[in-house]
Amino acid sequence: MRNVILLLEMESLEPLQMTVGCFFSSEQGERKAPCVNFDNLALHILLVLGYQFVEMSSRKSKSNNLIHAEVLSQVQRVLRERFCHQSPHSNLFGVQVQYKHLIELLKRTAIHGESNSVLIIGPRGSGKTMLINHALKELMQIEEVSENVLQVHLNGLLQINDKIALKEITRQLNLENVVGDKVFDILELLEKRVKSRFSHRQIHLMNSFGFPQYLKIFKEQLSLPTEFPDKLFTEKWNESIQCLTEDRSVREVLQKHFNVSKNLRSLHMLLMLALNRVTTSHPFMTAADLMEAQQFCSMDSKANIVHGLSVLEICLIIAMKHLNDIYEEEPFNFQMVYNEFQKFVQRKAHSVYNFEKPVVMKAFEHLQQLELIRPMERTSVNTQREYQLMKLLLDNTQIMNALQKYPNCPTDVRQWATSSLSWL
């Protein structure tokens, strides 16, 4: 009954009564409406209307979801490019002075032909690469520079010596200075020229901003740009980010992250993890997303390894913990750990199996393979394995936290770990 959709905008049943004499189309052709009870007809048509209205709403909802999914896909692309330093619109934070110094130096080199050199120094994630990329982007927008400057990009992990570096330089500049493995005297000339022009100039990046600036960076990194296609969604998204910035629980998460590291790369990782939770059914980032991302970032990899250990290996780690407590972090050997374990077994013989010494040694070696313990010095040919000095790479907090989450940990083993003194 396709023409029933004409009644969608009715406000009462009165217009419905006028349709009794109309024709209803069907797959069997046209037929006149039968003489039926008026109220039943109204109910029947309303039911059909309701069905078609739900169907239309469903189609409209699906269409909206498709549009929503496309917008969210664009949001994730824009923000991920920003987090991965691939966006040309990324802002520089706290390095304006260094940026001004670098851009002036590059301009003097590119425009006036000065021979300059500079080292940009800073910890990992302090923005060295971003600083250079921004400076080069601005520089290449100057016509006089773009026509006269050639860029060569080298990587110290790939170009490990002068010969390889020169080959890469000639490849990028399309020069014919290398024939096979023979490098002409240009290498020597290049070395002399670089040494004579090296100015020992340095630019330092130290992430010296405080927490208020960190909050501002958080907001700017998550906000959508004004040129984003969907203006309405941009407004709603940016409003939600402003609310997040003011949220107390979010500030606590960011404060913890800031206290651990001011590294912007670390912040970008946190935001990337939170962004991954944004979907069509969950279109805006929430405080819970950031809290979960923070838990993931602060997850202890070594403690996670402990969760997969056998009970015997757990017992050996607890024995090492007690040895560290007794001897104040002095190194230990397998024999000391084995003796400590035996004391516990003898005291709790009814609940803990007494493994043979070779089996315990295998478990000890497995802990070394997992890098939960490490030798204090290189293994000597004359040193017996039982007496090689080792160090535990887990602290007491990591051990106790891991035991709390360890599945089906025997009660006696848990109590042994929490006891302040070893079994004597």
Side-chain angles (χ1 to χ4, degrees):
M1 299 179 181
R2 298 188 184 98
N3 64 340
V4 179
I5 199 169
L6 295 174
L7 302 175
L8 275 172
E9 294 184 2
M10 283 172 26
E11 295 182 2
S12 70
L13 286 180
E14 291 180 3
L16 180 64
Q17 297 172 7
M18 300 171 58
T19 66
V20 176
C22 75
F23 287 85
F24 291 86
S25 61
S26 66
E27 293 181 359
Q28 288 79 20
E30 292 186 347
R31 60 183 176 83
K32 201 163 186 176
C35 294
V36 294
N37 182 277
F38 195 65
D39 294 333
N40 289 341
L41 177 61
L43 178 62
H44 175 70
I45 293 177
L46 280 178
L47 288 174
V48 175
L49 265 174
Y51 169 75
Q52 292 200 1
F53 180 73
V54 169
E55 186 178 19
M56 287 182 62
S57 298
S58 176
R59 289 175 183 171
K60 187 177 180 181
S61 177
K62 288 180 180 177
S63 175
N64 288 340
N65 283 341
L66 288 175
I67 296 172
H68 215 47
E70 184 178 347
V71 171
L72 288 176
S73 177
Q74 291 176 327
V75 170
Q76 297 212 356
R77 178 177 54 79
V78 168
L79 295 183
R80 282 172 177 164
E81 285 180 354
R82 184 183 295 169
F83 300 158
C84 296
H85 310 298
Q86 296 175 352
S87 172
H89 306 293
S90 299
N91 294 325
L92 293 171
F93 303 101
V95 292
Q96 285 74 15
V97 174
Q98 294 90 331
Y99 179 75
K100 183 179 179 181
H101 184 189
L102 179 61
I103 198 70
E104 289 177 354
L105 184 68
L106 290 174
K107 284 180 179 178
R108 293 205 307 269
T109 303
I111 298 174
H112 303 296
E114 291 184 9
S115 294
N116 291 306
S117 62
V118 63
L119 288 175
I120 300 177
I121 301 172
R124 184 175 183 269
S126 58
K128 300 184 293 295
T129 302
M130 186 183 293
L131 180 70
I132 294 174
N133 289 341
H134 272 72
L136 289 175
K137 178 177 178 291
E138 180 180 331
L139 196 69
M140 297 309 288
Q141 289 175 348
I142 303 173
E143 185 177 354
E144 185 180 358
V145 173
S146 60
E147 294 176 352
N148 298 320
V149 169
L150 295 172
Q151 296 182 38
V152 176
H153 296 261
L154 300 178
N155 188 320
L157 297 175
L158 301 177
Q159 288 79 45
I160 57 176
N161 57 44
D162 295 344
K163 189 174 181 180
I164 298 174
L166 183 61
K167 284 185 177 181
E168 180 60 20
I169 292 171
T170 55
R171 185 190 69 80
Q172 292 187 31
L173 297 179
N174 296 319
L175 299 175
E176 299 296 330
N177 293 325
V178 179
V179 179
D181 293 329
K182 296 182 179 179
V183 181
F184 292 99
D185 59 351
I186 194 170
L187 180 61
E188 184 178 350
L189 294 173
L190 182 63
E191 185 178 2
K192 289 179 179 179
R193 183 174 178 82
V194 170
K195 284 183 177 179
S196 65
R197 300 294 191 275
F198 191 69
S199 58
H200 299 283
R201 188 182 286 108
Q202 298 178 353
I203 295 176
H204 293 267
L205 306 180
M206 299 305 294
N207 283 347
S208 57
F209 49 80
F211 185 67
Q213 177 70 5
Y214 192 76
L215 272 178
K216 184 179 178 183
I217 294 171
F218 165 80
K219 179 184 174 182
E220 291 185 4
Q221 290 295 284
L222 280 179
S223 298
L224 292 176
T226 53
E227 61 270 16
F228 190 79
D230 193 321
K231 304 301 180 185
L232 180 61
F233 186 84
T234 300
E235 184 179 348
K236 290 181 178 180
W237 175 273
N238 289 345
E239 285 177 359
S240 73
I241 299 304
Q242 177 62 37
C243 292
L244 280 180
T245 308
E246 298 169 358
D247 188 281
R248 181 179 176 182
S249 59
V250 171
R251 290 196 172 209
E252 289 176 355
V253 166
L254 294 175
Q255 184 70 63
K256 289 179 182 177
H257 213 74
F258 178 78
N259 292 340
V260 172
S261 173
K262 296 181 182 179
N263 187 336
L264 292 185
R265 193 171 296 171
S266 175
L267 175 63
H268 287 150
M269 176 59 71
L270 176 73
L271 300 184
M272 185 79 80
L273 291 171
L275 182 65
N276 288 340
R277 294 181 57 81
V278 173
T279 62
T280 52
S281 59
H282 181 70
F284 297 100
M285 192 178 295
T286 63
D289 297 334
L290 286 162
M291 292 170 71
E292 186 169 327
Q294 167 65 16
Q295 289 177 356
F296 189 87
C297 286
S298 60
M299 195 175 291
D300 193 329
S301 59
K302 290 190 182 297
N304 288 338
I305 293 174
V306 175
H307 299 162
L309 298 180
S310 66
V311 175
L312 172 58
E313 291 164 339
I314 289 287
C315 287
L316 295 183
I317 286 178
I318 296 172
M320 298 171 197
K321 170 186 175 294
H322 284 304
L323 288 172
N324 279 343
D325 293 341
I326 296 169
Y327 299 109
E328 299 179 348
E329 305 293 331
E330 288 293 319
F332 53 81
N333 57 39
F334 168 76
Q335 190 62 47
M336 295 168 66
V337 175
Y338 181 74
N339 292 341
E340 197 71 17
F341 173 63
Q342 285 298 305
K343 293 177 188 178
F344 170 66
V345 170
Q346 291 168 10
R347 188 178 180 92
K348 298 290 182 180
H350 64 282
S351 61
V352 179
Y353 182 76
N354 189 10
F355 295 91
E356 295 182 2
K357 192 171 183 178
V359 177
V360 180
M361 172 59 85
K362 281 288 184 184
F364 187 83
E365 290 174 344
H366 185 228
L367 294 177
Q368 183 178 348
Q369 291 171 0
L370 293 174
E371 297 184 356
L372 297 177
I373 59 174
R374 66 173 175 81
M376 294 296 294
E377 53 190 25
R378 290 184 179 180
T379 306
S380 173
V381 178
N382 299 325
T383 305
Q384 294 182 355
R385 291 185 303 168
E386 293 88 339
Y387 300 103
Q388 184 181 8
L389 292 178
M390 294 286 198
K391 184 173 182 63
L392 179 63
L393 300 181
L394 294 167
D395 59 36
N396 287 358
T397 302
Q398 289 175 307
I399 295 171
M400 299 311 299
N401 289 342
L403 281 176
Q404 293 298 323
K405 300 176 183 178
Y406 187 84
N408 303 320
C409 182
T411 303
D412 288 335
V413 173
R414 200 185 300 273
Q415 290 176 350
W416 181 36
T418 56
S419 62
S420 57
L421 295 175
S422 176
W423 301 106
L424 298 175

